[in-house]
């Protein structure tokens, strides 16, 4: 019996779920360590405040490249080997970032950190192969809660470590952690060897067919791209505002960033409610909450304690909206067809991370040229774009992957 046939639909153990959730969190955190360190990194590398967002943008661009050209490989080669091999790229890039003597080298390492960190998006669909259909939303929600906790803890952890040992130590410590993680995954994860129906070039060409012929993929990707652009915009600009308007040190910024951790609770809740058929109404609600979070921060822009408290509330609201909508989107696309799940996930994630890269660039630029007012206005608009598109959605039967009909 083929390996994939053995694994598909079996009950996933709590231990494997925990391992995958922890791995996803530790890996994806590498994309966000620099987000609250733009000040000290820019000071040491000579980047202007307007160009500081380039650090995060390049990491996200590397991630998009990996999503398009590495993640699809999970449909044709053994997943555990692919994951561990990609982690070796991350480890080398993290060491290089910690030792980078100049701006060009650091920016190059940022690109490769993003490229290798796509392992998280190999492991998330890997978990769905172990879960039966009726529990898929719960499993995705649990694994994604680990991933989202990694995203949200990355910012405060990086700030705390930097306040004691400097920003270079963040990347050095992460290199050691990822090395241990790679060894653990290699020893514990079961193999998953898919049955290839095409070679690599055909696989890449099929991405265009999938995108063209799978409307639910396009729709969910656009929803999340708009949401994630707002998320990246906020977390690129808010550390600059906290330092300028509230005179916060890196430790203060770290404490603020902890607020976002509360948003991760939305992931498992959204997964369970999606299993009960609530996906559509929750999707619209997530967009409204995301836009409202920026409206709240726009209306109260003083330097008072009240304004700071409302900014914390806005961070929690935004992170809940983005994390919840992400799980809803992933559950929808994972239901389209198992043989194309790696490619579907790669396309979905690459499109919405393009949105994130745009948001990061806009965050640094808008804050440098128009302050928090301009940044928050852009943040209000981005989820509204998704909401307008959402109102064009029709109540139709479940969309199927074109591969279910045999096309490639």
């Amino acid at each position: 019996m083929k390996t994939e046939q053995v694994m598909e639909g079996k009950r996933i153990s709590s231990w494997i779920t925990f391992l995958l959730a922890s791995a996803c969190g530790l890996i994806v955190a590498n994309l966000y360590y620099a987000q609250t360190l733009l000040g000290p990194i820019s000071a040491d590398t000579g980047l202007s405040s307007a160009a500081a967002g380039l650090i995060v943008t390049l990491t996200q661009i590397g991630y998009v490249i990996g999503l398009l050209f590495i993640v699809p490989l999970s449909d044709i080669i053994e997943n555990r080997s692919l994951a561990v091999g990609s982690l070796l790229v991350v480890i080398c890039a993290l060491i290089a970032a910690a030792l980078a003597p100049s701006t060009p080298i650091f920016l190059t390492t940022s690109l490769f950190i993003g490229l290798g960190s796509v392992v998280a998006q190999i492991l998330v669909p890997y978990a769905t192969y172990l879960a039966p259909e009726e529990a898929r939303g719960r499993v995705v929600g649990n694994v994604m809660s680990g991933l989202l906790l990694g995203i949200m803890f990355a910012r405060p952890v990086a700030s705390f470590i930097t306040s004691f040992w400097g920003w270079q130590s963040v990347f050095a410590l992460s290199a050691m952690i990822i090395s241990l993680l790679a060894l653990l995954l290699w020893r514990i994860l079961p193999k998953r060897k898919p049955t290839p129906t095409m070679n690599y070039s055909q696989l890449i060409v099929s991405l265009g067919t999938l995108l063209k012929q799978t409307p639910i993929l396009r729709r969910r990707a656009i929803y999340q791209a708009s949401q994630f652009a707002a998320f990246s915009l906020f977390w690129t600009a808010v550390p600059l505002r906290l330092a300028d308007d509230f005179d916060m040190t890196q430790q203060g910024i770290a404490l603020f960033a902890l607020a976002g951790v509360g948003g991760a609770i939305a992931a498992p809740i959204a997964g369970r409610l999606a299993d009960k058929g609530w996906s559509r109404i929750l999707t619209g609600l997530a967009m409204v909450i995301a836009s409202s979070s920026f409206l709240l921060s726009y209306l109260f822009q003083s330097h008072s304690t009240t304004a700071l408290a409302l900014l914390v509330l806005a961070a929690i609201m935004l992170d809940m909206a983005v994390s919840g909508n992400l799980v809803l989107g992933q559950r929808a696309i994972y239901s389209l067809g198992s043989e194309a799940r790696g490619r579907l996930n790669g396309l979905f994630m690459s499109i919405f991370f393009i949105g994130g890269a745009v948001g990061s660039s806009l965050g640094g630029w808008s804050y440098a040229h128009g302050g928090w007012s301009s940044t928050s206005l852009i943040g209000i608009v981005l989820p509204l774009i998704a909401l307008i598109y959402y109102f064009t959605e029709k109540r139709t039967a479940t969309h199927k992957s074109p591969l279910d009909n045999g096309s490639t």
Side-chain angles (χ1 to χ4, degrees), residues 124-160:
V124 175
Y126 173 93
T128 69
Y129 288 103
L130 301 176
E133 171 62 29
E134 64 273 12
R136 193 156 288 154
R138 175 181 59 81
V139 170
V140 172
N142 289 338
V143 175
M144 286 302 299
S145 65
L147 184 147
L148 292 163
L149 282 171
I151 293 174
M152 294 167 188
F153 271 116
R155 297 182 295 261
V157 167
S159 292
F160 274 125

Side-chain angles (χ1 to χ4, degrees), residues 68-69 72-73 76 197-209 343 408:
L68 290 174
F69 296 102
L73 286 170
I76 62 173
T197 58
M198 60 188 75
N199 59 36
Y200 183 69
S201 60
Q202 291 172 325
L203 192 75
I204 298 302
V205 170
S206 73
L207 293 175
T209 301
R343 280 166 285 166
T408 57

Side-chain angles (χ1 to χ4, degrees), residues 69 86 101 137 139 194 203 254 260 281-282 287 303 337 342 380 391:
F69 296 102
S86 298
V139 170
L203 192 75
I281 189 169
L282 290 175
M287 297 168 188
H303 300 181
I380 292 169
F391 285 128

Side-chain angles (χ1 to χ4, degrees), residues 11-238:
R11 186 178 183 276
I12 184 171
S13 69
S14 298
W15 160 241
I16 294 294
T17 301
F18 175 76
L19 175 61
L20 291 172
S22 301
C24 286
L26 291 169
I27 293 164
V28 83
N30 290 301
L31 302 175
Y32 298 93
Y33 287 137
Q35 210 161 43
T36 53
L37 307 181
L38 294 182
I41 292 175
S42 297
D44 286 352
T45 59
L47 281 173
S48 66
S49 59
L54 186 62
I55 296 170
V56 180
T57 300
L58 280 173
T59 306
Q60 291 174 332
I61 289 173
Y63 200 66
V64 169
I65 294 171
L67 288 166
L68 290 174
F69 296 102
I70 296 177
V71 171
L73 286 170
S74 64
D75 286 337
I76 62 173
I77 69 175
E78 201 277 307
N79 286 189
R80 186 182 66 177
S81 300
L82 177 62
V84 173
S86 298
L87 285 181
L88 295 178
V89 174
V90 178
I91 294 165
C92 293
L94 288 168
I95 293 171
L99 301 174
S102 64
T103 299
I105 293 178
F106 182 81
L107 292 177
T108 302
T109 63
S110 298
L111 185 73
F112 279 94
I113 288 171
L115 184 70
S117 294
V118 293
V119 175
Q121 298 310 322
I122 295 170
L123 297 179
V124 175
Y126 173 93
T128 69
Y129 288 103
L130 301 176
E133 171 62 29
E134 64 273 12
R136 193 156 288 154
R138 175 181 59 81
V139 170
V140 172
N142 289 338
V143 175
M144 286 302 299
S145 65
L147 184 147
L148 292 163
L149 282 171
I151 293 174
M152 294 167 188
F153 271 116
R155 297 182 295 261
V157 167
S159 292
F160 274 125
I161 293 173
T162 298
S163 68
F164 290 105
W165 300 302
W167 62 265
Q168 293 90 344
S169 62
V170 174
F171 297 96
L173 287 170
S174 182
M176 290 187 281
I177 292 170
I178 298 301
S179 298
L180 292 173
L181 178 64
L183 180 61
L184 189 63
L185 293 176
W186 179 256
R187 293 183 62 87
I188 293 177
L189 286 186
K191 288 186 177 182
R192 183 210 160 228
K193 174 72 174 171
T195 305
T197 58
M198 60 188 75
N199 59 36
Y200 183 69
S201 60
Q202 291 172 325
L203 192 75
I204 298 302
V205 170
S206 73
L207 293 175
T209 301
L210 280 171
L211 185 61
K212 181 180 179 181
Q213 298 184 11
T214 315
I216 191 64
L217 169 63
R218 297 194 303 270
R219 181 171 289 277
R220 297 301 321 193
I222 291 172
Y223 290 166
Q224 193 63 22
S226 299
Q227 296 277 76
F228 199 58
F231 176 91
S232 297
L233 175 88
F234 181 91
W235 286 107
T236 298
V238 80

